Amino acid sequence: DYWAVLITCFTLQKHIQTSKLPTELEIMKFCANLSFMFTEHEDLLERYGAAKSAGFKAVECAFPYHIDKEVLTETKNKFGLEQVLLNAEPGDCLGFGARKGEEEQFMSSLKKSLEYCSAMGTKRLHIMAGKKMEGVGQEEATQIFLANLRRAITHLEQAGVVGLIEPINPWSVPGYNLDTFQEGLYIVKTLNHPNIRLQLDMFHLQQVEGNLTRNIEKYLPYVGHIQIAQVPARGEPNSAGEIDYKYIFTCLEKLQYDGWVGLEYKPVDKTEEGLGWIKEMGYSL
């Protein structure tokens, strides 16, 4: 009947007008890096509670291996947080991946790190290349890293974990074995396996290569995780520095990046006081 159809159409139009439609700004998912944020709490376990209180649904951290994995898992679960990322156990040289003669240490570190991933439900593991060794050139170090990662793939597959490699700028970490994005991309392309991906930290990319718009387009198809911080002081995205993060997030949205964005920055002041940028840029936790 005419009136029934008219009422239905009016009701539908009203629903469309008042419903909260998904927007591009809702795509970004931010996780707190507990090695950099909430350091007002000396105890790593307390930072989980602080992150939850601040509204985070997920966290990442570098090296939690001084704490029993069951204790970490219990703490994470208590606060209902997802553990997005861990770094592999680093030893004394920021990893073993590209270090000659340390293949056994590499595998031992990998296995222990994957045990933590399995316990905590973590699906991403940053596998570190380690510091450069005297007498070992870049080409040889890259081949060592490739060989170690090939051995790692089976273990990563069994654990359901993606191994990430991250180029790190030479000012923050001088003498690191993986300090260019071209080298990182070469490794990922050579291995050509879904369990080995790039970790793209804008803080490092800006300092090593710049040209962020084109480089994000270039590297994103090979990326398994993104991290952010302002350059050069590594503060919040809206702190003084070289990167316009509102624009960067727009680039990521246009390229349909739907993974986590790790907040690996050093708060200028107290962590919670510095979180206003999230709302300012149109996002929420």
Side-chain angles (χ1 to χ4, degrees), residues 175-191:
Y176 188 65
N177 271 312
L178 185 59
D179 57 7
T180 73
F181 280 82
Q182 294 96 327
E183 197 76 15
L185 184 61
Y186 168 76
I187 290 170
V188 171
K189 281 186 166 184
T190 299
L191 293 171

Side-chain angles (χ1 to χ4, degrees), residues 36-236:
F36 282 74
M37 302 174 72
F38 301 104
T39 56
E40 299 91 341
H41 304 274
E42 189 174 341
D43 187 346
L44 176 61
L45 296 176
E46 291 180 4
R47 295 175 199 172
Y48 281 87
K52 177 67 175 181
S53 295
F56 284 96
K57 297 179 179 68
V59 297
E60 60 181 33
C61 63
F63 312 119
Y65 301 102
H66 59 291
I67 301 173
D68 187 89
K69 60 182 180 292
E70 278 77 24
V71 174
L72 282 165
T73 302
E74 183 182 342
T75 302
K76 173 191 76 75
N77 291 343
K78 180 171 95 172
F79 294 110
L81 292 166
E82 179 180 345
Q83 183 78 41
V84 170
L85 168 78
L86 293 175
N87 285 13
E89 188 183 36
D92 297 325
C93 295
L94 289 181
F96 308 98
R99 287 176 60 84
K100 188 175 184 178
E102 296 185 359
E103 289 80 5
E104 286 186 19
Q105 292 98 314
F106 172 83
M107 193 53 64
S108 175
S109 161
L110 178 74
K111 289 178 179 177
K112 180 175 180 178
S113 303
L114 286 175
E115 287 174 4
Y116 272 70
C117 288
S118 295
M120 301 181 76
T122 302
K123 300 301 181 185
R124 298 165 194 81
L125 179 67
H126 174 198
I127 301 174
M128 303 192 74
K131 299 295 285 287
K132 293 179 180 179
M133 303 176 78
E134 192 173 345
V136 180
Q138 186 60 56
E139 187 175 341
E140 184 178 7
T142 298
Q143 292 307 311
I144 292 167
F145 204 9
L146 281 166
N148 278 326
L149 290 171
R150 283 191 185 98
R151 293 169 62 212
I153 285 172
T154 300
H155 299 275
L156 292 166
E157 283 181 313
Q158 290 172 350
V161 171
V162 174
L164 302 168
I165 62 169
E166 179 187 35
I168 296 176
N169 81 77
W171 295 277
S172 296
V173 183
Y176 188 65
N177 271 312
L178 185 59
D179 57 7
T180 73
F181 280 82
Q182 294 96 327
E183 197 76 15
L185 184 61
Y186 168 76
I187 290 170
V188 171
K189 281 186 166 184
T190 299
L191 293 171
N192 190 27
H193 194 282
N195 288 76
I196 301 291
R197 308 285 284 170
L198 272 178
Q199 180 165 300
L200 178 58
D201 191 332
M202 300 297 172
F203 174 74
H204 298 305
L205 181 60
Q206 167 64 6
Q207 295 181 76
V208 174
E209 290 193 11
N211 195 17
L212 293 182
T213 303
R214 291 181 178 86
N215 278 324
I216 289 169
E217 291 178 359
K218 174 182 176 181
Y219 293 119
L220 198 61
Y222 305 94
V223 166
H225 187 58
I226 286 176
Q227 293 177 327
I228 62 170
Q230 190 53 271
V231 174
R234 209 167 194 170
E236 285 92 343

Side-chain angles (χ1 to χ4, degrees), residues 211-214 216-217 243-254 281 283:
N211 195 17
L212 293 182
T213 303
R214 291 181 178 86
I216 289 169
E217 291 178 359
I243 302 178
D244 177 357
Y245 269 107
K246 190 164 187 180
Y247 171 76
I248 294 301
F249 295 145
T250 301
C251 291
L252 293 173
E253 288 159 0
K254 285 179 179 176
M281 295 190 189
Y283 299 98

Side-chain angles (χ1 to χ4, degrees), residues 3-13:
W3 290 108
V5 171
L6 189 63
I7 291 169
T8 301
C9 290
F10 176 79
T11 304
L12 182 60
Q13 183 182 27

